[in-house]
Amino acid sequence: MENQFVLFGNQIIERDHVSIDMEDRGYNFGDGIYEVVYIYGGEPFSLNEHFRRFEESASKLDMKLPYSIEQVKEKTAELIKANNIHNGIVYIQMTRGASPRAHLYERESASLITGFARKMDPPADAQEKGIKTYLTPDIRWLRCDIKSLNLLGNTMAKRIAADHSCGEALLHRDGICTEGSSSNLFIVKNNEVHTHPATNLILNGITRQHIIEITGEEGITVNEEPFTTEELQAADEVFISSTTMEIAPVISVEGAVQATYPIGSVTRRLQEKLKDRIKQHRVHQ
Ligand code: PDD
């Protein structure tokens, strides 16, 4: 069977042997955090950046790691190897562990780290042909900078998008575009890139950070400023980014505003440069 080895605590064991307590706080309260890292040619991409954010999410939620972040990285590498992943993802989460259900958490509680790895190819079709999106209100809490397990606002939005035959939901808060349900959002206007600043209202994506660095290298102006749904509608190009998608062009938006977009030269250039970074990373391993 595929994906048969998982990380449970600090051990790599068979998936069938996992037993999670009914009162794990992740299960009862969504009290936990996670990261998704892409594996290219057997090597995780931007592992250090992902685990820096993992530590930041833990600290913002007053959670302690049960062992060092270096050990988490080692266990992640073991997990990838055990499952013989060439291209795919590794998912690592940490909950505040098990205790009799009560809203009040104890700071001493023992966190539980778990993870799995899965084979997956980058979504070539979406990257090439682009995706349709649906713009809907951002109903999430005010700490979207934390990669927490609480994803109801995201999953509900994704369902709404799928119900309109769209591949991603774009979110807006009172007319300001924030991000996608599982991606960051960029628009291009007059060859300049615009994206929401890395505040509490979005997740500061690792892919987003690569893109911003690339725009610097390429001499493309990037404006990390809030932009409106009207500006989204009037954009020359639109694209989204994430670990699993890299960069996907957006070809249309429906819902709160409607527009269609060409797949433009700025999007294509950034896609290509991000692929170059990924290739280089593999050479340097
Ligand atoms: N999601 N914003 C949200 C709300 C996300 O869930 C994600 C990624 C991103 C992009 O972040 P990054 O570039 O670091 O992947 C932005 C992951 C892939 C997921 O939940 O599966």
Side-chain angles (χ1 to χ4, degrees), residues 34 36 50 53 140 147 154 179-184 203 205-208 241-244:
Y34 76 105
V36 179
H50 280 281
R53 186 171 65 187
R140 300 173 302 164
K147 204 158 170 63
N154 309 61
E179 60 181 335
S181 76
S182 59
S183 59
N184 288 116
L203 183 75
I206 305 299
T207 323
R208 174 187 182 277
S241 74
S242 78
T243 292
T244 43

CSV table of all heavy atoms in Angstrom, one decimal, residues 34 36 50 53 140 147 154 179-184 203 205-208 241-244, ligand 1:
chain,number,residue,atom,x,y,z
A,34,TYR,N,0.1,23.4,11.2
A,34,TYR,CA,0.7,22.4,10.2
A,34,TYR,C,1.5,23.1,9.1
A,34,TYR,O,1.5,24.4,9.1
A,34,TYR,CB,-0.5,21.7,9.5
A,34,TYR,CG,-1.3,22.5,8.5
A,34,TYR,CD1,-1.1,22.3,7.1
A,34,TYR,CD2,-2.1,23.6,8.9
A,34,TYR,CE1,-1.7,23.1,6.2
A,34,TYR,CE2,-2.8,24.3,7.9
A,34,TYR,CZ,-2.6,24.1,6.6
A,34,TYR,OH,-3.3,24.9,5.7
A,36,VAL,N,2.8,22.2,4.8
A,36,VAL,CA,2.8,21.4,3.7
A,36,VAL,C,4.1,21.8,2.9
A,36,VAL,O,4.2,22.9,2.5
A,36,VAL,CB,1.6,21.6,2.8
A,36,VAL,CG1,1.7,20.6,1.5
A,36,VAL,CG2,0.3,21.3,3.5
A,50,HIS,N,9.8,26.6,5.6
A,50,HIS,CA,8.6,26.1,6.2
A,50,HIS,C,8.6,25.8,7.7
A,50,HIS,O,7.7,26.1,8.4
A,50,HIS,CB,8.2,24.8,5.4
A,50,HIS,CG,7.6,25.0,4.1
A,50,HIS,ND1,6.2,25.3,3.9
A,50,HIS,CD2,8.1,24.9,2.8
A,50,HIS,CE1,6.0,25.5,2.7
A,50,HIS,NE2,7.1,25.2,2.0
A,53,ARG,N,8.5,28.9,9.7
A,53,ARG,CA,7.1,29.4,9.9
A,53,ARG,C,6.3,28.5,10.9
A,53,ARG,O,5.5,29.0,11.7
A,53,ARG,CB,6.3,29.4,8.5
A,53,ARG,CG,5.0,30.0,8.6
A,53,ARG,CD,4.4,30.2,7.2
A,53,ARG,NE,4.1,28.9,6.5
A,53,ARG,CZ,3.7,28.8,5.2
A,53,ARG,NH1,3.5,29.9,4.5
A,53,ARG,NH2,3.6,27.6,4.7
A,140,ARG,N,-13.0,34.4,7.7
A,140,ARG,CA,-12.1,33.7,8.7
A,140,ARG,C,-11.8,34.6,9.9
A,140,ARG,O,-12.1,35.8,9.9
A,140,ARG,CB,-10.8,33.4,7.9
A,140,ARG,CG,-11.0,32.4,6.8
A,140,ARG,CD,-9.8,32.2,6.0
A,140,ARG,NE,-9.2,33.5,5.5
A,140,ARG,CZ,-8.0,33.6,5.0
A,140,ARG,NH1,-7.1,32.6,5.0
A,140,ARG,NH2,-7.6,34.8,4.6
A,147,LYS,N,-0.5,29.4,10.6
A,147,LYS,CA,-1.0,28.2,9.8
A,147,LYS,C,-1.6,27.2,10.7
A,147,LYS,O,-1.0,26.2,11.1
A,147,LYS,CB,0.2,27.6,9.0
A,147,LYS,CG,-0.2,26.9,7.8
A,147,LYS,CD,0.9,26.8,6.8
A,147,LYS,CE,0.6,25.8,5.6
A,147,LYS,NZ,-0.5,26.2,4.7
A,154,ASN,N,-11.8,28.6,5.1
A,154,ASN,CA,-11.2,28.2,3.9
A,154,ASN,C,-11.9,27.1,3.2
A,154,ASN,O,-12.2,27.2,2.0
A,154,ASN,CB,-9.7,27.7,4.1
A,154,ASN,CG,-8.9,28.7,5.0
A,154,ASN,OD1,-9.3,29.0,6.1
A,154,ASN,ND2,-7.9,29.3,4.4
A,179,GLU,N,-6.6,36.9,0.0
A,179,GLU,CA,-5.9,35.8,-0.6
A,179,GLU,C,-6.8,34.8,-1.2
A,179,GLU,O,-8.0,35.0,-1.2
A,179,GLU,CB,-4.9,35.2,0.4
A,179,GLU,CG,-5.5,34.6,1.6
A,179,GLU,CD,-4.5,34.0,2.6
A,179,GLU,OE1,-3.4,33.6,2.3
A,179,GLU,OE2,-4.9,34.0,3.8
A,180,GLY,N,-6.3,33.6,-1.6
A,180,GLY,CA,-7.2,32.5,-2.0
A,180,GLY,C,-7.5,31.6,-0.8
A,180,GLY,O,-6.9,31.8,0.3
A,181,SER,N,-8.4,30.6,-1.0
A,181,SER,CA,-8.7,29.8,0.2
A,181,SER,C,-7.6,28.9,0.6
A,181,SER,O,-7.4,28.5,1.7
A,181,SER,CB,-10.0,28.9,-0.2
A,181,SER,OG,-9.6,27.8,-1.0
A,182,SER,N,-6.7,28.6,-0.4
A,182,SER,CA,-5.4,27.9,0.0
A,182,SER,C,-4.3,28.3,-0.9
A,182,SER,O,-3.4,27.6,-1.3
A,182,SER,CB,-5.6,26.3,-0.2
A,182,SER,OG,-6.0,26.0,-1.5
A,183,SER,N,-4.2,29.7,-1.1
A,183,SER,CA,-3.2,30.2,-2.0
A,183,SER,C,-3.1,31.7,-1.7
A,183,SER,O,-4.0,32.3,-1.1
A,183,SER,CB,-3.6,30.0,-3.4
A,183,SER,OG,-4.8,30.6,-3.7
A,184,ASN,N,-2.0,32.3,-2.2
A,184,ASN,CA,-1.9,33.8,-2.2
A,184,ASN,C,-2.3,34.3,-3.5
A,184,ASN,O,-2.2,33.6,-4.5
A,184,ASN,CB,-0.4,34.2,-1.8
A,184,ASN,CG,-0.1,34.0,-0.4
A,184,ASN,OD1,0.8,33.2,0.0
A,184,ASN,ND2,-0.8,34.6,0.5
A,203,LEU,N,-1.9,34.5,5.1
A,203,LEU,CA,-0.8,33.6,5.4
A,203,LEU,C,0.4,34.1,4.5
A,203,LEU,O,0.2,34.2,3.2
A,203,LEU,CB,-1.1,32.2,5.1
A,203,LEU,CG,0.1,31.2,5.4
A,203,LEU,CD1,0.2,31.0,6.9
A,203,LEU,CD2,-0.1,29.9,4.7
A,205,GLY,N,2.8,33.3,2.4
A,205,GLY,CA,3.2,32.0,1.8
A,205,GLY,C,4.7,32.0,1.5
A,205,GLY,O,5.3,33.0,1.2
A,206,ILE,N,5.2,30.8,1.6
A,206,ILE,CA,6.6,30.6,1.2
A,206,ILE,C,6.8,30.9,-0.3
A,206,ILE,O,7.8,31.5,-0.7
A,206,ILE,CB,7.1,29.2,1.6
A,206,ILE,CG1,6.8,28.9,3.1
A,206,ILE,CG2,8.6,29.0,1.2
A,206,ILE,CD1,7.5,29.8,4.1
A,207,THR,N,5.8,30.4,-1.1
A,207,THR,CA,5.9,30.7,-2.5
A,207,THR,C,5.8,32.2,-2.8
A,207,THR,O,6.5,32.7,-3.6
A,207,THR,CB,4.8,29.9,-3.2
A,207,THR,OG1,4.6,28.6,-2.6
A,207,THR,CG2,5.1,29.6,-4.7
A,208,ARG,N,4.9,32.8,-2.1
A,208,ARG,CA,4.7,34.3,-2.2
A,208,ARG,C,6.1,35.0,-1.9
A,208,ARG,O,6.4,35.9,-2.7
A,208,ARG,CB,3.7,34.8,-1.1
A,208,ARG,CG,3.5,36.3,-1.0
A,208,ARG,CD,2.6,36.6,0.2
A,208,ARG,NE,2.3,38.0,0.3
A,208,ARG,CZ,3.2,38.9,0.9
A,208,ARG,NH1,4.3,38.5,1.4
A,208,ARG,NH2,2.9,40.2,0.9
A,241,SER,N,-0.6,31.6,-5.9
A,241,SER,CA,0.6,30.8,-5.7
A,241,SER,C,0.4,30.0,-4.4
A,241,SER,O,-0.3,30.4,-3.5
A,241,SER,CB,1.8,31.7,-5.5
A,241,SER,OG,1.7,32.4,-4.2
A,242,SER,N,1.0,28.8,-4.4
A,242,SER,CA,1.1,28.0,-3.2
A,242,SER,C,2.1,26.9,-3.4
A,242,SER,O,2.6,26.7,-4.6
A,242,SER,CB,-0.3,27.3,-2.9
A,242,SER,OG,-0.5,26.2,-3.7
A,243,THR,N,2.5,26.2,-2.3
A,243,THR,CA,3.4,25.1,-2.4
A,243,THR,C,3.0,24.1,-3.4
A,243,THR,O,3.8,23.6,-4.1
A,243,THR,CB,3.5,24.5,-1.0
A,243,THR,OG1,4.1,25.5,-0.1
A,243,THR,CG2,4.3,23.3,-0.9
A,244,THR,N,1.8,23.7,-3.4
A,244,THR,CA,1.3,22.6,-4.2
A,244,THR,C,1.1,23.0,-5.7
A,244,THR,O,1.1,22.2,-6.6
A,244,THR,CB,0.0,22.0,-3.7
A,244,THR,OG1,-0.8,23.0,-3.3
A,244,THR,CG2,0.3,21.1,-2.5
B,1,PDD,N1,-1.9,26.1,1.7
B,1,PDD,N2,-2.7,31.1,1.9
B,1,PDD,C1,-3.4,30.0,2.4
B,1,PDD,C2,-4.7,30.3,3.2
B,1,PDD,C3,-2.9,28.7,2.3
B,1,PDD,O1,-3.6,27.7,2.8
B,1,PDD,C4,-1.7,28.5,1.6
B,1,PDD,C5,-1.1,27.2,1.4
B,1,PDD,C6,-1.0,29.7,1.1
B,1,PDD,C7,0.2,29.5,0.3
B,1,PDD,O2,1.3,29.3,1.2
B,1,PDD,P1,2.6,28.5,0.7
B,1,PDD,O3,3.1,29.2,-0.5
B,1,PDD,O4,3.5,28.6,1.9
B,1,PDD,O5,2.2,27.1,0.4
B,1,PDD,C8,-1.6,30.9,1.3
B,1,PDD,C9,-1.3,24.8,1.7
B,1,PDD,C10,-0.6,24.4,0.5
B,1,PDD,C11,-2.4,23.8,2.2
B,1,PDD,O6,-3.1,24.1,3.1
B,1,PDD,O7,-2.5,22.7,1.6
